[in-house]
């Protein structure tokens, strides 16, 4: 009996199986990759291209691509814009242009004050620099501490112009002093004039003839008017100076105003 050997399949069967597996799976994987790429928008594709160039060490090429992305007026995807700005700032940092990096990070924070760099994607030195830019903005936007406002001392009310001097307004103090002094001088002068018209010094009051009583009453009314003007000037400037010393101030902070008392 003649013995016929069967072809030995154990040598080529695994190879065939591998080829079949490759043929069956490769088109699917390639199709998946194409679908994922097709799902990316043009700005996202540009961002991916820039990151690829950055990882290859082509900093200038990555910078140029990112500049086109962040300056694209048609791009409205804020997430893509912020990511592109963050990577652009890092690239500027690695290129040694600290001012450009600072300006770019300030732009990121301008659009989103709470934006954070992912420490798993960005190196620690870049994250630290970004946080320092945030601290600079916080310090610049914080309201300056107001000097403590002290009310005038009681002695400032004892003479005209004292409150104005407390408020560092010497000219206003001088005008107040002159005005009140002139009023006092006018009142004293009219008082002397009226006393001289007294025909009976031994009797209380000013004794004048009936014929002159009306005219002298007008002088007396003028004396009171001058006195009231002087006292009104003194009182008004004292009250106004006190309000100025304790008035609220408006301090600009970012986009709003802060009222402080």
């Amino acid at each position: 009996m003649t013995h016929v050997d069967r072809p030995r399949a154990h040598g080529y069967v695994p190879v065939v199986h591998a080829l079949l597996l490759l043929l069956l799976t490769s088109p699917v994987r390639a199709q998946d990759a194409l679908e994922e790429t097709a799902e990316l928008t043009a700005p996202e594709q540009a961002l991916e291209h820039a990151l690829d160039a950055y990882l290859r060490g082509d900093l200038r090429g990555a910078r140029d691509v990112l500049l086109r992305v962040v300056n694209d007026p048609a791009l409205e995807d804020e997430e893509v814009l912020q990511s592109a700005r963050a990577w652009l700032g890092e690239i500027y940092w690695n290129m040694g242009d600290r001012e450009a990096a600072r300006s770019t990070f300030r732009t990121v924070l301008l659009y989103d004050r709470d934006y954070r760099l992912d420490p798993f994607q960005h190196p620690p030195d870049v994250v630290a620099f970004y946080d320092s830019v945030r601290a600079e903005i916080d310090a610049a936007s914080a309201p300056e501490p107001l000097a403590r406002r002290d009310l005038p001392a009681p002695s400032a009310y004892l003479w005209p112009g004292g409150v104005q001097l407390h408020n560092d307004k010497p000219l206003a103090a001088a005008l107040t002093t002159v005005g009140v002094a002139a009023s006092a001088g006018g009142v004293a002068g009219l008082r002397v004039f009226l006393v001289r018209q007294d025909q009976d010094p031994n009797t209380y009051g000013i004794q004048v003839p009936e014929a002159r009583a009306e005219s002298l009453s007008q002088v007396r009314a003028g004396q009171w008017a001058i006195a009231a003007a002087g006292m009104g000037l003194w009182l008004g400037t004292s009250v106004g100076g006190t309000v100025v010393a304790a008035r609220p101030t408006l301090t600009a902070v970012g986009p709003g105003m802060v009222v402080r008392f």
Side-chain angles (χ1 to χ4, degrees):
M1 178 179 292
T2 304
H3 177 73
V4 179
D5 292 333
R6 294 183 178 180
R8 296 183 179 180
H10 65 274
Y12 62 89
V13 169
V15 176
V16 173
H17 287 176
L19 290 174
L20 289 174
L21 182 62
L22 180 62
L23 290 174
L24 290 173
T25 58
S26 294
V28 176
R29 293 178 179 174
Q31 183 65 28
D32 291 342
L34 290 175
E35 291 178 355
E36 291 177 359
T37 303
E39 290 177 357
L40 295 177
T41 63
E44 290 174 336
Q45 292 177 3
L47 180 58
E48 292 291 335
H49 177 69
L51 294 181
D52 289 341
Y54 176 38
L55 294 176
R56 292 195 308 269
D58 184 7
L59 299 183
R60 294 184 181 276
R63 177 201 61 188
D64 294 342
V65 174
L66 290 175
L67 283 174
R68 288 196 296 270
V69 173
V70 300
N71 292 314
D72 184 0
L75 179 57
E76 298 180 353
D77 191 334
E78 193 61 30
E79 183 178 354
V80 174
L81 280 171
Q82 287 289 74
S83 181
R85 294 182 187 118
W87 286 110
L88 180 60
E90 178 174 331
I91 290 173
Y92 277 133
W93 166 270
N94 287 317
M95 293 177 68
D97 194 343
R98 296 293 188 267
E99 289 305 317
R102 176 179 286 103
S103 177
T104 305
F105 285 150
R106 289 178 67 91
T107 303
V108 173
L109 293 167
L110 175 65
Y111 284 95
D112 185 359
R113 195 63 167 271
D114 297 326
Y115 190 89
R116 300 281 181 177
L117 292 187
D118 188 348
F120 294 101
Q121 293 183 346
H122 302 272
D125 54 346
V126 174
V127 175
F129 181 74
Y130 177 83
D131 290 339
S132 70
V133 175
R134 181 198 301 278
E136 291 175 2
I137 295 176
D138 292 340
S141 61
E144 296 182 359
L146 298 177
R148 180 172 171 267
R149 291 184 175 273
D150 293 324
L151 293 177
S155 59
Y157 297 94
L158 298 180
W159 55 280
V163 178
Q164 282 67 39
L165 282 181
H166 171 83
N167 293 335
D168 296 325
K169 296 182 178 180
L171 179 59
L175 292 176
T176 302
T177 301
V178 170
V180 175
S183 173
V187 171
L190 291 178
R191 175 64 182 175
V192 171
F193 172 78
L194 290 174
V195 169
R196 287 181 177 179
Q197 307 304 314
D198 189 5
Q199 296 183 353
D200 187 2
N202 296 323
T203 304
Y204 177 77
I206 299 176
Q207 306 299 320
V208 296
E210 187 69 25
R212 301 198 60 191
E214 183 176 355
S215 61
L216 292 179
S217 295
Q218 294 177 354
V219 173
R220 186 58 179 268
Q223 181 187 31
W224 281 107
I226 295 174
M231 292 301 297
L233 176 62
W234 190 350
L235 178 62
T237 54
S238 297
V239 173
T242 302
V243 172
V244 169
R247 68 184 175 185
T249 59
L250 296 178
T251 303
V253 179
M257 302 288 289
V258 174
V259 180
R260 282 185 167 76
F261 291 86

